[in-house]
Structure formats: structure tokens, C-alpha cells
Amino acid sequence: MVGRQITWISSWKPQRRTTTSNGRTPRYSHWVRYNTFYGLVFTTTLATLLLMADLIEWRATGYLFVLANRFPGTVALIVQLLAAFFGLIHVAVVCRLINYALRLRLRKASVTLDVLRTWVDMSIPRIDWDLPLRFFFPVLLVVFLSLVPAALWAGSITPFIDRTTTTGMLLLPSYEDVSLIREYPMEIGTSGPSLRTQKGFFTYSVGVQHVGNLLSSAASASSSTTGKRLVHPKLDNTQFSYIGRSYGVGAPAGLTDMSISSNSQVAGYIYQEEGYLCNVTCIYNRTSAFRLRGPVAEWIYEASGNLPDSVDSGEMSAYIGHTGDAIVAIGVAHSERSPRRYLALAAGPSYAFLNSTQCALDFTPHLFNVTVDIANLNISVVPANPIPDFNPQRNLTRTVMRQFELLSNDLTNLYVSLLGDALNASIAAYNMSRPPNAGRDPVSVSEEAATLAGLTNSITAMADDMLAAYASAQLMVGKTFTQKRDVQVYLYGLQFGQRVYIYAIFVFNLLVLGAVAGEAVRTRGWRELGRFNYLDPRDLVIAASRGGEGVAWAADGLARRHSKKKKGAGEKRKSMKHVWLLSDPDEGNGSLSIRMKGDGEGHVGIVVRSPLFPPSPDPEKGERGGGGGGGFEDGGDAVDADKRAAQREWDRRRRQKQRVGLFGSM
């Protein structure tokens, strides 16, 4: 125990590191001095790895992802333990810096016992409720800051679900062979090839076999909520829905993506697909030649006339009804040589708002960005850029146009036009989506404009769905009419920590490293640091015993003076010089000022700060001054005259008000 201390007097040089014959000055090894700082190797490595992982957007997948999702409680426990461990390393380093700095300060300054307690609390750290408030709040700040590193580490290593990317393969529809995409007769048994599976019903007779789905699309084409994108289902049993327009693409989702969606960690994927961007423009053409006539026979009415793109002859189709009031007819050019980009509507009095309307459909070959969200079963399509026509013969677009004429026939009965009701529903939804004050606005949308807007939305929605239906038929019925395409797949993965906490802990670790390096340079590697440590009770006990009885005499003197003052004041309570928080003040020794003194053999002792607190014996009890201590206390065995002179100096100094600050006084 005696050999644990080395003096810190300026003449001592740590490079000499010799051991005396009595063994009382052992070496202060490199490991003993710097071992705590080596913990920064772990924190620096981990902080750097976390930063690099965030920069390259690395995510943990596979078995680690499965374990984290299966045992979240265990993961939380491990995170808390690791955060506490790495936070403890940072706190230990900072506290060691504080301890070293104050130990070096202690060799030069005198401190009160309250200041020494404060240093102990700041070096551990801990809250001492008995401290005066001027020392309590700095300690409280240090204790609070000691909790920050562990909290930052917890935010930096806590895993949460994010996404990462990989590649996959997807089968897309090919239009190199469009032999099955054509208009089939409406007679029973003459429809196009079809296939029914668990994934849905797929057919090349789209306008006849998908009547219900197309009718639903027409009715819901206009959103009744302002500013929200329309969500509508895909025409199969895959449960996918489009957010916004489909543009006729996205058919592979749920049909040919099994190699991707079979992975339970897949969140979605993105790919590009060729399709047609259908722009629909509807107007009122009061001079349209396409008219409803009849009856030409019992319950038979004829819709006929030329369209702007009619070739060779006009258009003609027959409709049934008790009267012509509930008929909504659509005319489309029938010639194979027609570009087929116009459709005209002729309607009876019950649907007069649709009569003489005409729409032009422009199909522009485009490349689309398709995003498939497997988790939420959503498909989002965004046009990218125009491309050369992938179906120069326009079999696909001309066949789509002819489906409108078939739909109008199928959806008209003796009493009502289901197509007319669906278009009316779209128009009504468009009116409801207008702002509430639109009716009072002098430039608000007119009824004719609202009709044309609702009609445009319905025609656009049906055209998109029919293009998607033919794409699905190419995949599921044609089977060989496909092409492979690489896609970008998003996988669920674990991201460790949030970016703000990762950067915060990285910067904090750099600050700690900088503080260690700065202190090492400033103190020359703590070359003047002695082995005495005020945190070690062994060192305190030994140093106090070497200092003699001076500290005890000074403490007793303070207590006696305090007692005499109370008696002289008639037992009145003395006003406290300092403020305590939760305990009574220790008037006896809290303000006692001490200092450290070394001897020639490399040992230190705790002595009273002689200029302010010399030995103060009690003459009434016959006590003698002194309190030997091997030369640690000035005037240990002085003559009575010297003691009286010291007493007078003590009384003079005692009357001077001097406060020792947080870092002691010189």
C-alpha cells in the first residue's frame, strides 16, 4: 500500500521510472496510465462501420432479418446492452480525462473538502445530494451528460425495417406476334381464345367477356374526392390495384412475377414496360353524321352514319329497345384500313346529355416506369419517354377501338343502357369533386364541360383497362408471347440506426478522440501525473495519515468556533453561507481547505492549507499544537511563541472572506 504513490513535484520525471531499494516508488506503466483510452478503438471502429453502412445504404437481409423479426424482444435487450457498453466506454474515457486533469490541478491548488467531493462526483459520475448548490448543479450537468453517449449509441444501432435493392427477372408481354389480337364475331362459340385460372379470367374477346369489369371502370373513372388519385382494381384475381392510371401496362404483376414475389422479404420491384399513352379528347359535335334512327323493325333501332375516320362506307349497328329513349350507341370505324381513332355517341332522350358527343383517342408509343408494391398490392405507373412503335400495324389499338362498339351493344336492353348509367355516374362523380364554391364562381365548369370531362375519364379508363387485358391475354393465353426483362427488386432489410444518430455518435467519438489527443499533447502524455488518486480510498487514507493531525485539529477548531458563535448569539440559528438541496449543511468541515505535499522519497500527504488553516489547539483542554507527520505540516513542533504567532495569523486570515472555487485556489 505504501508503494502505490509517487510524488508529483516538478523535479520528478516519469522517464526515469526507477524503483528504489525500499520498493516504495514502483513504475507507473504504460498500460496502467492509458488502458481506458484503448476502449476508443472499439467505439471508433463501430462508429466508422455504422457511418460507412449508412453511406453505402447497406441493409441486413436473410437469416439475420428473419431472426430480428421473430425475436424483437431479444433484439431490444441486446441493443440496450451494447448501447450501455459502448456508452460506458465513452463515459469512462471522459471521466478519466477529468480525473487526470483534476489530479494535475490538485498538485498545484488548494481545495476545500466540498470541492474535493465535487471532483469525486464528477469523476465517477454520481449525484451527491449533500453538495452546496453551486457545486451540485455542475455535478448534475456532468451526470446528465454521462447518459447521452448510451442514448446516442442506442439510436445508432437499433435495427428497423428498411429496403435494399437487388435484381430479378420478369416476363413481359411481347407484341411481335399479335395474331390473336383481333375482333372476334359476337356469336356464341366464335369468341377469341380464353383461359380461366385461379389468377383470373383471361381472354382475347375483351369487349364481350370483360363487360362487368369495364362497366365498373367507366362508372368509377372520376374521383369524387378533390386532389386524390383514383385507386381501381386490376382485371384479374391477383388483388392488385392501380394507383392512378394504368396506361395499359403492369399486367405482369401477380401473374409472371412468382420468382420475385415468392421471396417473403420482397417489398416490391420497379421495371420499364412498353405501352401506349392514350390521350382522349371529347367534344360536342352538333353536326355529327352518326345518328340514332328507327325503329327500323319491331324493337330494333339503327345507329348509323360516317365518322371522321370512316373508310369506304359509313358505320351501322342495331340496338333493341321498347323505344329509342334508353339507347346509348357508340360508333367506331369498321374498315381495316381506317386508323380508327374516333368514336361517336348517339343517345336517346333519356341520355340526351351524351348525344352528339365525339371523342378522339391518340395512342402514343411510350416507355413507362412501373412500380409494384407487393406488400400493399399496389401498382403505380409513370410515363417515361416516347419510343418507336412496337406494333406498327396497330392491331392492338384498332382492336381496342372496336371494343367500344361491342360494349355499347352488349350494355343496352329494352329498358335502360347500362353504359349510359355508368357514364352518368362518372359525370356525377366529377361534379362532386369540384370545390364547394365552384357553383358560385362565374367561371365555374358548365354542365356541358362537366359532361365532357366525365365522359373523357370513362373512355380513358376503359381504354387503359382493355390494353391491360390484352397484355394479360398475351401472358396467360398466348403463353409464348412474352419477353424477359430485368427488374430492380426491393427487399425488406434491417437498417442499423437512424442517420442523425449515426452522424451524432461519429462526431461525438471524434470529439472524445480530439479531447484525448489534446490533453495528451498539453500534458506531454501526463508525464507529471502521480500515482495518487483521490478516487481511491486507500490513497486518501494513507495520504491523510501522512499529513498528521493538522486536518483534524483544523476541523475541530471550525466546530468550536461555530459552537461559540451560536452560544454568543443566544442559541440563535446561524444563517447559512451556502445553500444545500436535500440535506443540512455540514458547517463543521465542508469548507476546510487542504492541499497535497510531497516528501523527498516520492510520497504525498494531505495537509491543511497552512496560510489559512494552521493548527488550532484548544487551550481550555490543554491541547498542544503540532500533529507531527514527518515534515508534511509546516511548524509541526514549533515553540510556543511560534504557535502564538501562527494563531494570530490564523485569526487574521480567518476574518478574511475567501471562497474556494470549483477548481480550487492557488
Side-chain angles (χ1 to χ4, degrees):
M1 292 295 294
V2 175
R4 281 181 47 78
Q5 299 174 359
I6 294 179
T7 183
W8 45 41
I9 57 177
S10 58
S11 61
W12 178 75
K13 304 295 182 182
Q15 295 92 324
R16 290 159 57 184
R17 292 190 182 178
T18 57
T19 303
T20 60
S21 58
N22 58 12
R24 288 184 292 180
T25 56
R27 290 186 178 185
Y28 200 3
S29 66
H30 174 91
W31 174 252
V32 173
R33 182 175 299 182
Y34 301 110
N35 53 12
T36 304
F37 303 133
Y38 283 114
L40 293 176
V41 174
F42 300 100
T43 61
T44 303
T45 302
L46 182 57
T48 304
L49 290 177
L50 289 172
L51 181 63
M52 295 301 298
D54 182 76
L55 293 177
I56 65 175
E57 297 184 353
W58 177 81
R59 302 293 182 266
T61 59
Y63 190 65
L64 183 60
F65 175 84
V66 175
L67 284 179
N69 282 275
R70 184 175 298 176
F71 306 105
T74 303
V75 171
L77 175 63
I78 294 175
V79 167
Q80 291 298 322
L81 292 176
L82 291 178
F85 172 71
F86 290 110
L88 179 63
I89 292 178
H90 274 145
V91 172
V93 171
V94 173
C95 289
R96 180 59 63 92
L97 289 178
I98 295 175
N99 177 256
Y100 282 4
L102 295 179
R103 284 163 64 180
L104 292 176
R105 174 66 178 171
L106 188 59
R107 64 183 292 270
K108 300 177 181 179
S110 298
V111 298
T112 65
L113 296 184
D114 281 337
V115 171
L116 187 60
R117 286 198 299 157
T118 302
W119 288 7
V120 172
D121 295 337
M122 294 175 64
S123 301
I124 293 180
R126 69 179 182 188
I127 295 179
D128 190 344
W129 303 100
D130 294 339
L131 286 175
L133 287 185
R134 65 191 182 100
F135 296 144
F136 173 79
F137 287 111
V139 171
L140 181 63
L141 178 62
V142 172
V143 172
F144 175 77
L145 293 179
S146 68
L147 304 176
V148 174
L152 292 179
W153 277 114
S156 301
I157 63 177
T158 298
F160 62 92
I161 297 178
D162 195 26
R163 295 183 179 183
T164 185
T165 58
T166 185
T167 57
M169 189 274 296
L170 184 67
L171 291 179
L172 271 63
S174 172
Y175 298 96
E176 293 184 0
D177 187 344
V178 291
S179 58
L180 297 180
I181 302 178
R182 57 188 177 87
E183 182 180 357
Y184 292 91
M186 294 182 62
E187 291 82 4
I188 297 176
T190 59
S191 59
S194 301
L195 176 66
R196 188 179 298 276
T197 68
Q198 291 182 345
K199 294 183 179 181
F201 179 66
F202 310 95
T203 179
Y204 281 97
S205 295
V206 173
V208 178
Q209 302 290 347
H210 280 303
V211 172
N213 292 328
L214 296 175
L215 189 65
S216 176
S217 296
S220 60
S222 298
S223 174
S224 60
T225 306
T226 305
K228 289 190 176 180
R229 300 175 65 187
L230 184 65
V231 179
H232 54 102
K234 194 166 175 275
L235 302 187
D236 50 35
N237 294 337
T238 59
Q239 308 302 315
F240 277 94
S241 296
Y242 288 100
I243 300 179
R245 288 187 60 180
S246 68
Y247 298 100
V249 298
L255 300 180
T256 60
D257 60 355
M258 293 304 297
S259 61
I260 300 173
S261 60
S262 59
N263 187 346
S264 60
Q265 297 183 27
V266 171
Y269 55 91
I270 294 178
Y271 70 98
Q272 290 188 318
E273 183 177 354
E274 298 87 356
Y276 286 106
L277 177 60
C278 180
N279 291 318
V280 180
T281 305
C282 295
I283 62 171
Y284 274 102
N285 184 4
R286 304 299 183 184
T287 62
S288 175
F290 188 76
R291 301 279 181 178
L292 190 63
R293 300 174 178 86
V296 296
E298 186 177 6
W299 296 354
I300 302 297
Y301 291 82
E302 180 182 281
S304 59
N306 287 313
L307 273 65
D309 58 350
S310 294
V311 178
D312 299 331
S313 62
E315 315 308 323
M316 192 277 292
S317 56
Y319 293 83
I320 63 172
H322 281 298
T323 65
D325 294 352
I327 295 176
V328 175
I330 296 180
V332 180
H334 68 280
S335 175
E336 290 290 337
R337 296 189 295 117
S338 171
R340 292 183 183 171
R341 56 182 301 267
Y342 288 94
L343 58 83
L345 280 78
S350 297
Y351 303 96
F353 55 90
L354 294 174
N355 192 42
S356 299
T357 54
Q358 182 176 293
C359 299
L361 285 74
D362 291 320
F363 295 93
T364 304
H366 235 74
L367 190 65
F368 296 91
N369 294 325
V370 183
T371 302
V372 180
D373 186 350
I374 294 180
N376 297 311
L377 299 177
N378 290 329
I379 306 172
S380 300
V381 183
V382 178
N385 51 271
I387 58 174
D389 200 338
F390 53 88
N391 179 217
Q393 300 81 13
R394 287 295 177 105
N395 299 64
L396 179 59
T397 58
R398 287 186 307 199
T399 303
V400 166
M401 290 296 296
R402 284 296 298 169
Q403 304 309 301
F404 285 100
E405 194 274 339
L406 301 178
L407 278 170
S408 64
N409 268 277
D410 288 348
L411 296 174
T412 300
N413 57 39
L414 292 174
Y415 306 100
V416 70
S417 171
L418 298 179
L419 178 60
D421 288 345
L423 297 177
N424 189 33
S426 177
I427 296 169
Y430 179 82
N431 277 321
M432 287 188 292
S433 67
R434 294 160 57 193
N437 60 347
R440 299 187 295 271
D441 191 344
V443 294
S444 62
V445 179
S446 65
E447 193 62 35
E448 287 190 355
T451 298
L452 294 177
L455 177 61
T456 299
N457 292 337
S458 294
I459 298 299
T460 302
M462 288 191 289
D464 286 349
D465 281 350
M466 285 189 282
L467 288 171
Y470 280 111
S472 298
Q474 289 287 89
L475 293 173
M476 303 300 293
V477 183
K479 295 187 181 300
T480 59
F481 304 152
T482 59
Q483 57 179 326
K484 293 182 179 180
R485 182 68 53 85
D486 291 332
V487 300
Q488 185 178 19
V489 180
Y490 287 90
L491 297 174
Y492 286 118
L494 293 180
Q495 177 181 348
F496 289 92
Q498 296 184 16
R499 175 167 297 180
V500 61
Y501 296 112
I502 292 174
Y503 279 82
I505 199 63
F506 184 80
V507 172
F508 180 79
N509 189 78
L510 285 182
L511 292 177
V512 174
L513 285 174
V516 172
E519 278 292 283
V521 172
R522 184 182 70 85
T523 61
R524 298 181 182 180
W526 296 279
R527 61 182 300 178
E528 297 183 4
L529 184 69
R531 289 292 295 269
F532 176 81
N533 186 358
Y534 56 81
L535 295 178
D536 194 332
R538 297 172 296 179
D539 289 350
L540 286 175
V541 171
I542 294 173
S545 66
R546 288 202 180 103
E549 299 177 352
V551 177
W553 282 116
D556 292 343
L558 285 176
R560 282 193 297 272
R561 281 188 296 274
H562 174 58
S563 175
K564 289 178 181 180
K565 287 183 178 181
K566 291 180 65 177
K567 292 178 180 179
E571 297 296 331
K572 293 183 179 180
R573 182 178 179 86
K574 179 184 176 183
S575 61
M576 293 183 292
K577 297 180 180 179
H578 307 301
V579 181
W580 277 258
L581 187 64
L582 296 178
S583 66
D584 293 331
D586 185 359
E587 299 274 0
N589 56 32
S591 59
L592 185 62
S593 181
I594 61 171
R595 63 185 178 88
M596 309 304 297
K597 187 175 181 66
D599 64 4
E601 295 185 357
H603 300 304
V604 295
I606 299 177
V607 300
V608 177
R609 186 185 182 192
S610 295
L612 291 180
F613 299 102
S616 182
D618 188 357
E620 298 178 358
K621 294 184 178 182
E623 294 175 344
R624 298 178 56 191
F632 283 103
E633 186 176 343
D634 297 336
D637 292 321
V639 296
D640 293 342
D642 292 336
K643 288 195 291 182
R644 288 193 295 270
Q647 183 66 47
R648 289 194 297 271
E649 179 68 13
W650 153 259
D651 292 335
R652 185 182 68 83
R653 296 275 183 156
R654 181 170 55 83
R655 290 190 292 269
Q656 296 179 353
K657 294 183 178 180
Q658 180 175 353
R659 174 177 291 185
V660 179
L662 182 62
F663 299 101
S665 63
M666 301 302 294

